[in-house]
Amino acid sequence: QEGAQAAVEQALNALECALQEGVPGDETGWQALMTGAFAAAAEAVGRLAKAAGMPARAFATTLACAAYGGGWLAAGQIGDGAIVAQDEAGSLLLAVRPQRGEYANEAYFLTMPDALNYLVVYAAEYPARGLAFTSDGLLRLAFKLPAYEPAPQFFNPLLAFVASTAQPEQAAAEL
């Protein structure tokens, strides 16, 4: 939990700082922005482990991030969750799919020494109106396997509910 919290906070901070300098206008810019956010998150977890006098693997975490601006969607991930986007017409896009290791139940973690080698980034012009992040625990419910096609009967009501709420805190509690 501590590793995940440190990673998320640092990734969001890095994305916010980078976007204050301007929104990238091409795939290369978004790739660099997302890679920087993941590198900052990995460093934050490393500092946490060092301060605790423990190995980084004691704070193992996966990480998924997304940003939208200037008509571009960027999504990055190290791990076994998924990010799904919905466009203005209601169509669903699997932006990043779960990463699987060589063996069942094997995942990649931000705390691995070569973690950034496993970073997958999607960056493209896309008219997003909604985003959903899922953990590996929802894969069988939220996707048509083995193709990992987003299941509309799962995502459409979820994204409609979130879009209709005026109070994000209340929506989070209801979810």
Side-chain angles (χ1 to χ4, degrees), residues 47-77:
R47 287 190 303 272
L48 176 66
K50 186 175 182 179
M54 300 174 77
R57 70 178 178 274
F59 297 93
T61 184
T62 60
L63 181 63
C65 296
Y68 184 76
W72 281 79
L73 170 64
Q77 175 169 276

Side-chain angles (χ1 to χ4, degrees), residues 160-171:
F161 167 74
V162 172
S164 71
T165 186
Q167 298 177 357
E169 296 82 16
Q170 181 180 349

Side-chain angles (χ1 to χ4, degrees), residues 34 38 62-66 74-84 94-100 108 110 115-122 132-136 139:
M34 202 57 69
F38 275 77
T62 60
L63 181 63
C65 296
Q77 175 169 276
I78 295 175
D80 53 4
I83 301 174
V84 172
L94 178 61
V96 290
R97 67 184 293 153
Q99 296 172 323
R100 298 285 186 208
Y108 300 121
L110 185 65
L116 292 182
N117 292 337
Y118 296 100
L119 173 61
V120 174
V121 177
Y122 168 90
F133 294 71
T134 68
S135 68
D136 63 331
L139 295 180

Side-chain angles (χ1 to χ4, degrees), residues 83-109:
I83 301 174
V84 172
Q86 184 182 54
D87 68 13
E88 295 163 353
S91 297
L92 299 170
L93 165 77
L94 178 61
V96 290
R97 67 184 293 153
Q99 296 172 323
R100 298 285 186 208
E102 184 178 345
Y103 304 103
N105 295 322
E106 181 182 15
Y108 300 121
F109 296 97

